[in-house]
Amino acid sequence: MMPSQPMIDGLGRHITYVRMSVTDRCDLRCRYCMAEKMTFLPKKDVLRLDEIVELADMLIARGVKRIRLTGGEPLVRKGVEQLVLELGRRIGNGLDELTMTTNGTQLARFAPMLIDAGVRRINVSLDSLQPERFRHITRSGDLAQVLGGIRAATEAGLKIKINMVALLGLNDDEITPMLRWCSRHGHDLTLIETMPLGEVEDDRTDRYLPLGAVLTKLELEFGLIPSLARTGGPARYFEVAELGIRLGLITPLSGNFCEGCNRIRITATGTAFGCLGHDQRVELRDVLRNEGAEAVDRALDTLLAGKPAGHQFRIDAARPAVARHMSVTGG
Ligand SMILES: C[S@@+](CC[C@H](N)C(=O)[O-])C[C@H]1O[C@@H](n2cnc3c(N)ncnc32)[C@H](O)[C@@H]1O
Ligand code: SF4
């Protein structure tokens, strides 16, 4: 068998980071992400846990150094402990880092397991620190439960970055309070622009808050220092010296970060996307089930050859064909 080739795309970009969605299900219904009444995928369509591990091993063999587990909500997937513990065994054996993006509702239960598995950093989504508002945005969420989860995770030794989707008229007055709260608790904060993903009832054009204006305001308030840190993802970073934390801004609609893109995404059904803002994809699940590892490698090569140079989002666009429930940010 041929040794595995590194994953280099048609433009010479080296793919070292993969976001893997482990479920389309979630215990919350954030207005910008999901409809209130969701029909989730039949179990047979979703990659089994052993298939996720098999795919991860192939990706690691091809040079992937970081895997981020996401969803839906990764911690509601049945058997997530076994999955995380199994993938954790790859850390130091090809994999540099295993991370997760979570809504935090199950963290009190799972934080010790994450630490045991070798996870050291996680992203937790938190759009409001006001209980009623949090419930409104998530349509059901209990803020105290999430804050308890964050506390448990911090106590277990996990470094936490908070992800806050900036929503015009919904939580834009909480950006400064959230920065200060993060500073008090030792968390970095990343602000995210809403993206036109998924099928949801709310009209996101009403909620779109361009982060450029927010940045100008925060610069006046805190004197931000641009950071050179790049992750190969859509975030730009600033040091907030006064607060002792780092602020990230994810501006997929207005930012340009595609040149250094080092990532691909795989949905819970095994669809691999080269770019968040494009429909370009390959289906890996049936290839894995029916044809085996070499065919998966060939499918990945097809994905890499066609990985788009950059994305095109328009806030007023018809829903792009990017799969629903694919983790979209948090990087
Ligand atoms: C899809 S969620 C999956 C992981 C987990 N359930 C969570 O909420 O962190 C990953 C991230 O995507 C963000 N997100 C979801 N829909 C979005 C949208 N339409 N625009 C911008 N960010 C979005 C969420 O806020 C979250 O930070
Ligand atoms: S953003 Fe995360 S927590 Fe909210 S509905 Fe989507 S998957 Fe669930």
Side-chain angles (χ1 to χ4, degrees):
M1 205 167 72
M2 292 274 291
S4 294
Q5 297 294 317
M7 296 207 289
I8 298 175
D9 77 0
L11 298 170
R13 293 172 296 187
H14 206 132
I15 307 306
T16 56
Y17 179 31
V18 179
R19 308 173 59 86
M20 297 184 89
S21 172
V22 301
T23 179
D24 63 322
R25 287 163 200 259
C26 188
D27 52 349
L28 300 182
R29 295 286 183 280
C30 302
R31 289 171 183 275
Y32 49 77
C33 178
M34 287 193 185
E36 188 160 17
K37 290 196 172 38
M38 291 293 298
T39 311
F40 291 111
L41 295 164
K43 201 172 156 205
K44 67 173 179 27
D45 290 353
V46 175
L47 290 175
R48 297 189 310 267
L49 299 180
D50 62 298
E51 291 173 329
I52 296 176
V53 173
E54 206 179 336
L55 257 185
D57 279 338
M58 290 181 209
L59 294 163
I60 293 167
R62 296 197 61 174
V64 165
K65 298 289 177 203
R66 287 173 68 202
I67 293 180
R68 177 176 295 279
L69 301 179
T70 177
E73 171 48 40
L75 292 177
V76 303
R77 171 85 196 241
K78 208 165 160 218
V80 69
E81 304 99 310
Q82 291 96 293
L83 176 69
V84 175
L85 289 167
E86 187 60 41
L87 291 179
R89 296 206 180 96
R90 277 71 180 165
I91 301 170
N93 295 309
L95 191 64
D96 288 347
E97 192 179 35
L98 180 64
T99 56
M100 181 177 278
T101 299
T102 171
N103 64 24
T105 60
Q106 310 301 315
L107 267 179
R109 178 175 163 209
F110 287 119
M113 175 280 286
L114 292 173
I115 282 288
D116 286 348
V119 175
R120 293 293 172 262
R121 301 190 299 160
I122 56 171
N123 292 349
V124 181
S125 302
L126 182 63
D127 298 331
S128 175
L129 290 166
Q130 300 177 17
E132 280 313 308
R133 196 182 268 186
F134 182 80
R135 185 175 296 279
H136 174 76
I137 295 172
T138 58
R139 289 205 190 91
S140 61
D142 175 1
L143 179 65
Q145 184 185 355
V146 172
L147 295 182
I150 292 174
R151 219 171 17 251
T154 308
E155 281 164 13
L158 287 161
K159 171 84 182 140
I160 292 179
K161 180 163 75 64
I162 300 293
N163 279 346
M164 176 185 191
V165 176
L167 301 158
L168 185 68
L170 266 189
N171 67 359
D172 44 345
D173 59 340
E174 274 196 77
I175 292 175
T176 296
M178 185 68 87
L179 257 174
R180 293 194 185 281
W181 181 85
C182 284
S183 168
R184 280 201 303 282
H185 292 84
H187 311 313
D188 289 338
L189 173 67
T190 291
L191 299 174
I192 305 171
E193 274 177 1
T194 48
M195 284 181 277
L197 295 172
E199 300 292 337
V200 295
E201 296 95 348
D202 276 18
D203 181 353
R204 261 179 303 245
T205 53
D206 288 351
R207 298 288 175 212
Y208 176 61
L209 175 63
L211 289 181
V214 173
L215 184 61
T216 309
K217 184 172 166 287
L218 292 178
E219 264 165 350
L220 286 172
E221 207 171 339
F222 296 106
L224 307 177
I225 306 160
S227 157
L228 295 178
R230 296 294 307 175
T231 59
R236 279 179 295 154
Y237 292 100
F238 299 85
E239 301 298 336
V240 194
E242 183 185 327
L243 300 179
I245 62 170
R246 181 180 283 181
L247 171 69
L249 296 188
I250 298 187
T251 52
L253 297 169
S254 50
N256 190 349
F257 53 85
C258 304
E259 250 168 51
C261 181
N262 63 356
R263 53 192 61 193
I264 60 170
R265 297 155 204 274
I266 300 180
T267 69
T269 55
T271 306
F273 284 86
C275 173
L276 175 62
H278 274 270
D279 197 24
Q280 190 245 358
R281 66 174 97 179
V282 295
E283 304 293 343
L284 300 179
R285 183 195 61 212
D286 292 350
V287 177
L288 180 69
R289 285 182 184 170
N290 306 325
E291 298 171 54
E294 287 187 21
V296 171
D297 265 340
R298 284 196 298 277
L300 285 170
D301 288 339
T302 305
L303 183 77
L304 295 174
K307 181 170 156 65
H311 63 221
Q312 310 143 334
F313 276 123
R314 277 195 8 242
I315 191 65
D316 60 343
R319 305 290 178 226
V322 175
R324 279 195 304 145
H325 315 315
M326 189 171 64
S327 169
V328 291
T329 54

